[in-house]
Amino acid sequence: MTVTVEERFAIHDLYAEYAAAIDEFRLHDWLELFDEECSYRIVPRENFAAGLPLALVLCESKDMVRDRVVALLEANEFAIHTDRHLVSGIRFRGRTGDVVRVDADFAVFQSNSEGEGSVFAFGQYIDEVVLAGGRARFRSRVAVMDNSCVPHAISTPI
Amino acid sequence: MTVTVEERFAIHDLYAEYAAAIDEFRLHDWLELFDEECSYRIVPRENFAAGLPLALVLCESKDMVRDRVVALLEANEFAIHTDRHLVSGIRFRGRTGDVVRVDADFAVFQSNSEGEGSVFAFGQYIDEVVLAGGRARFRSRVAVMDNSCVPHAISTPI
Amino acid sequence: MTVTVEERFAIHDLYAEYAAAIDEFRLHDWLELFDEECSYRIVPRENFAAGLPLALVLCESKDMVRDRVVALLEANEFAIHTDRHLVSGIRFRGRTGDVVRVDADFAVFQSNSEGEGSVFAFGQYIDEVVLAGGRARFRSRVAVMDNSCVPHAISTPI
């Protein structure tokens, strides 16, 4: 399994832009990081490990991701926190044509309206990335949350 | 906007060395990561978002950064914590000649003299990096803190 | 001191795989990231800074690392947490032939059986990496823990 230098950078840039788009609340930009054919899920680690289908968030098409963006932008009037994603350990697991299996690790910190911060979530991304025309997009992203017992509801994407 | 492979690595190395210089308390080395013409600021996220000028730390020249190093080294007799920076999501935002606009995300963990650790700060770097002679230096660095309500005073740089 | 593009990627991949092997509890894979001639230690920051030899974990050969894997796999029946490593700031400190001195920063988050998460440990890796045949392996790894006062015993590797 091989990725070229350019492909490796395109994938790293995708991961960096994904985090920034959420943390800067540019959700339309976030949407455009997904391929036309895509899925997005947030799954508790124990469910993922057991092969159980239950997801905290489940979008099985780009239209479902788009609906989520619309809902989040409407809910934003009541936004009471901001997110900060840290991502490391990007690793290449396999390749089928232009689709690369990629894993990575994430931690999300949140700050509330009082400026108080804490660790919100951490876990693993399990992804399929499509490479086309020098760009990388998510065919599928599964965010597996280690700490499924989160202190409050998940609203913004992970 | 394009950075070459070598420039990308030079920028990554700059970010890694910046974190290490602070965490290893090599503050003279930290100073030399700034260009002769430079600025350094730590700004709360809400102020930054609102365009307000208030900064927690403000150095508008390299001499002001140098003064800060001297003050920190004198205060070090009373140092009661150590820092650990994690940085990810380095992304290239634009370029004008040899100056590249770069963003990244950071989290700083601190340990006190009892060996107890906690998350101290997290947020976003908003930078201008000068590339010259195969090296990268900060023309300007703004550390935007998401958690402006920090548990204790900021002393070492972020 | 120079590493080639390919060597840089091989080292980055080693660091990503090291974190994943522990977090996915693939300890035999973790073992194989060490060179035949190797050592592995976890040391509190204050001991490391003072040059004191006391280590929280000390493996002075690959057989000792292997013994640790066996012990951990046996103890796994009682596993009550999962780990998540974030690693950044990989930096190249020197080179002697095929052996590269590398530093990096880490944070380890843990989740317990209730799905509650927290920061477990953070600090610095101080490593010697052997490059051979396009692969990178640890000749030695020292995990220096900033927060030596950990909330519970260290079991899985850092």
Side-chain angles (χ1 to χ4, degrees):
Chain A
M1 200 276 304
T2 307
V3 291
T4 67
V5 173
E6 290 71 23
E7 288 170 342
R8 184 182 274 258
F9 290 157
I11 290 170
H12 272 260
D13 290 348
L14 172 65
Y15 279 64
E17 174 59 15
Y18 180 100
I22 297 171
D23 296 349
E24 299 174 2
F25 212 68
R26 295 184 283 106
L27 298 181
H28 289 295
D29 293 341
W30 174 71
L31 173 66
E32 292 315 314
L33 302 177
F34 288 93
D35 190 42
E36 289 309 304
E37 175 194 338
C38 68
S39 66
Y40 172 65
R41 284 189 291 158
I42 304 176
V43 184
R45 180 171 173 150
E46 58 266 39
N47 290 40
F48 186 81
L52 296 174
L54 181 66
L56 299 169
V57 169
L58 175 60
C59 299
E60 294 184 298
S61 70
K62 191 158 184 177
D63 278 340
M64 289 179 72
V65 181
R66 188 176 286 113
D67 285 351
R68 191 161 179 85
V69 167
V70 172
L72 284 164
L73 290 173
E74 287 175 353
N76 187 28
E77 314 168 32
F78 310 106
I80 54 169
H81 71 262
T82 59
D83 294 321
R84 184 62 53 195
H85 283 68
L86 267 80
V87 177
S88 74
I90 294 174
R91 44 201 182 268
F92 306 100
R93 291 308 193 200
R95 178 172 194 155
T96 307
D98 287 339
V99 179
V100 182
R101 267 279 297 110
V102 187
D103 289 343
D105 303 306
F106 66 84
V108 182
F109 301 83
Q110 282 191 343
S111 185
N112 66 16
S113 56
E114 308 296 310
E116 296 163 340
S118 59
V119 177
F120 174 64
F122 54 88
Q124 186 177 0
Y125 289 127
I126 298 179
D127 300 323
E128 290 177 319
V129 174
V130 188
L131 296 163
R135 299 185 68 187
R137 292 291 172 273
F138 289 108
R139 174 64 53 86
S140 76
R141 162 152 277 192
V142 182
V144 180
M145 276 182 66
D146 290 354
N147 64 321
S148 50
C149 171
V150 292
H152 52 88
I154 293 172
S155 54
T156 40
I158 285 178
Chain B
M1 202 276 303
T2 307
V3 291
T4 67
V5 174
E6 289 72 24
E7 289 170 341
R8 185 181 273 259
F9 290 156
I11 291 171
H12 272 261
D13 291 348
L14 172 65
Y15 280 64
E17 174 60 15
Y18 181 100
I22 297 171
D23 296 350
E24 298 174 4
F25 211 68
R26 294 184 282 107
L27 297 181
H28 289 296
D29 293 341
W30 174 72
L31 174 66
E32 292 315 313
L33 302 178
F34 288 92
D35 190 42
E36 288 309 304
E37 175 195 338
C38 68
S39 66
Y40 172 65
R41 285 188 291 157
I42 305 177
V43 184
R45 180 171 174 150
E46 57 266 42
N47 290 39
F48 186 81
L52 296 174
L54 181 67
L56 299 168
V57 170
L58 175 61
C59 298
E60 294 185 298
S61 69
K62 192 158 184 177
D63 278 339
M64 290 179 72
V65 181
R66 188 175 288 113
D67 284 350
R68 192 161 179 85
V69 167
V70 172
L72 285 164
L73 290 172
E74 286 176 355
N76 188 31
E77 314 168 31
F78 310 105
I80 54 169
H81 71 263
T82 58
D83 294 320
R84 185 61 54 194
H85 285 68
L86 268 81
V87 177
S88 73
I90 294 174
R91 44 201 183 271
F92 306 100
R93 289 310 193 199
R95 179 172 193 154
T96 306
D98 286 339
V99 179
V100 183
R101 266 280 297 109
V102 187
D103 289 343
D105 303 304
F106 67 83
V108 181
F109 301 83
Q110 282 191 344
S111 185
N112 65 18
S113 57
E114 307 296 310
E116 297 163 339
S118 59
V119 177
F120 173 64
F122 53 90
Q124 185 177 0
Y125 289 128
I126 299 179
D127 300 324
E128 291 177 319
V129 174
V130 187
L131 297 164
R135 299 185 70 188
R137 290 292 173 272
F138 289 108
R139 173 65 52 87
S140 77
R141 161 152 278 193
V142 183
V144 181
M145 277 183 66
D146 291 353
N147 65 320
S148 50
C149 172
V150 292
H152 53 87
I154 292 173
S155 55
T156 41
I158 286 179
Chain C
M1 200 274 305
T2 306
V3 292
T4 67
V5 174
E6 289 70 24
E7 288 170 341
R8 185 182 273 258
F9 290 157
I11 290 170
H12 273 261
D13 290 348
L14 172 65
Y15 280 64
E17 175 60 15
Y18 181 99
I22 297 171
D23 296 349
E24 299 174 3
F25 211 69
R26 296 185 281 106
L27 297 181
H28 289 296
D29 294 342
W30 174 71
L31 174 65
E32 292 316 314
L33 302 178
F34 288 92
D35 190 42
E36 289 309 304
E37 175 195 338
C38 68
S39 66
Y40 172 66
R41 285 188 291 157
I42 305 177
V43 183
R45 180 171 174 149
E46 57 265 42
N47 290 38
F48 187 81
L52 296 174
L54 180 67
L56 299 169
V57 169
L58 175 60
C59 298
E60 293 185 299
S61 70
K62 192 159 184 176
D63 278 339
M64 289 180 72
V65 181
R66 188 175 288 111
D67 285 350
R68 192 161 179 85
V69 167
V70 172
L72 284 165
L73 290 172
E74 286 175 354
N76 187 29
E77 314 168 32
F78 311 105
I80 53 169
H81 70 261
T82 59
D83 293 321
R84 183 63 52 196
H85 284 67
L86 267 81
V87 177
S88 73
I90 293 173
R91 45 201 181 269
F92 306 100
R93 290 309 192 198
R95 177 171 194 155
T96 307
D98 287 338
V99 179
V100 183
R101 267 279 297 109
V102 187
D103 289 344
D105 303 304
F106 66 83
V108 181
F109 301 83
Q110 283 191 342
S111 185
N112 66 16
S113 57
E114 309 295 310
E116 297 163 339
S118 58
V119 177
F120 173 64
F122 54 90
Q124 184 177 0
Y125 289 128
I126 298 179
D127 301 323
E128 291 177 319
V129 174
V130 187
L131 296 164
R135 300 185 69 189
R137 290 293 173 271
F138 289 107
R139 173 65 52 87
S140 76
R141 161 153 278 194
V142 182
V144 180
M145 277 182 66
D146 290 353
N147 65 321
S148 51
C149 171
V150 292
H152 52 87
I154 292 172
S155 54
T156 41
I158 286 180

